[in-house]
Amino acid sequence: MGSNKYEIIASEIKDKILLGEIAEGDKIPSENILSEKYDVSRQTVRKALSILSDEGLIESVHGKGTFCRKQTSRRTSSKNIGVVITYINDYIFPLILKGIYDVLDKKNYSIILKSTTNGRDREKQCLEDILTKNVDGLIIEPSKSEIAWKNRELVRRFDQVGVPMFLYKADMIIWNTAPLLKQTMN
């Protein structure tokens, strides 16, 4: 997101929701409280909350407040698999994508494809976007995987909501709940 105050507020609240710090059904602080916390007008807070509402993360209940919405249910199959990869057309990635596509297509699955261009902030945006969608699994090659992985907590959120994952880097598998993915696809 940008550097406008309302975008910063929306981004901070969104991060807390996606990381599970604000759970489904939790009340979001009032406009007045958020105004004081961020030292902004209520109008700025309203813009931030509007962004989150448009993204389906929160909902307002007249006379009661604003609450974290129930995240997309993972109980019904969407036939979508999220694939987050560093590059799409460099090195070995076209072959990897073709292999993923061939396997998923045979099972009538679709790919939600995201490229991080090996950027950690871009990876965060990709993961946040996929987390708001109903996916049956996630395949990810972490950005800058040779150094400490910045988005580990966000990936744990997929595990918490029951999305099977296969995480890899060039020389090893990092996290594999793919047997669950295989069961889902059968």
Side-chain angles (χ1 to χ4, degrees):
M1 281 210 166
S3 58
N4 292 320
K5 289 181 181 182
Y6 68 90
E7 291 175 316
I8 292 167
I9 295 166
S11 180
E12 286 184 17
I13 295 171
K14 180 178 181 176
D15 286 349
K16 288 179 181 182
I17 291 170
L18 294 178
L19 291 172
E21 295 172 22
I22 298 175
E24 296 172 0
D26 283 357
K27 188 173 183 180
I28 305 297
S30 70
E31 289 178 6
N32 287 334
I33 290 173
L34 291 171
S35 280
E36 287 179 29
K37 177 180 179 181
Y38 291 100
D39 194 27
V40 296
S41 70
R42 285 182 58 209
Q43 181 60 30
T44 300
V45 170
R46 276 190 212 109
K47 278 180 103 171
L49 295 178
S50 176
I51 290 170
L52 297 172
S53 179
D54 290 347
E55 292 181 12
L57 295 171
I58 64 170
E59 64 184 338
S60 295
V61 179
H62 185 69
K64 293 189 177 184
T66 303
F67 298 87
C68 180
R69 290 187 67 184
K70 182 176 182 177
Q71 301 302 303
T72 303
S73 173
R74 306 284 190 245
R75 292 189 187 113
T76 59
S77 177
S78 66
K79 293 294 207 175
N80 292 317
I81 303 294
V83 177
V84 180
I85 197 162
T86 52
Y87 298 103
I88 293 175
N89 57 358
D90 288 341
Y91 189 46
I92 61 171
F93 300 113
L95 294 173
I96 291 171
L97 287 174
K98 183 181 180 331
I100 291 170
Y101 174 81
D102 289 347
V103 170
L104 294 177
D105 188 55
K106 286 178 187 173
K107 299 284 188 173
N108 296 317
Y109 276 77
S110 297
I111 295 174
I112 298 174
L113 179 62
K114 299 287 183 177
S115 173
T116 67
T117 59
N118 208 25
R120 294 165 133 194
D121 291 336
R122 176 72 183 130
E123 178 184 76
K124 180 178 183 251
Q125 292 170 348
C126 293
L127 291 170
E128 286 175 344
D129 182 54
I130 290 177
L131 193 53
T132 64
K133 296 177 176 20
N134 187 16
V135 294
D136 292 342
L138 175 67
I139 300 169
I140 179 171
E141 185 228 355
S143 294
K144 302 192 184 294
S145 56
E146 72 281 359
I147 55 179
W149 193 26
K150 180 180 179 183
N151 294 309
R152 185 178 306 272
E153 287 304 315
L154 190 54
V155 169
R156 280 197 175 106
R157 184 70 178 129
F158 283 93
D159 197 33
Q160 291 169 351
V161 296
V163 175
M165 294 173 288
F166 180 77
L167 283 73
Y168 69 95
K169 65 178 198 171
D171 60 347
M172 64 184 268
I173 294 172
I174 299 171
W175 196 331
N176 184 8
T177 59
L180 293 173
L181 183 58
K182 188 174 181 182
Q183 289 172 359
T184 300
M185 292 178 61
N186 287 333

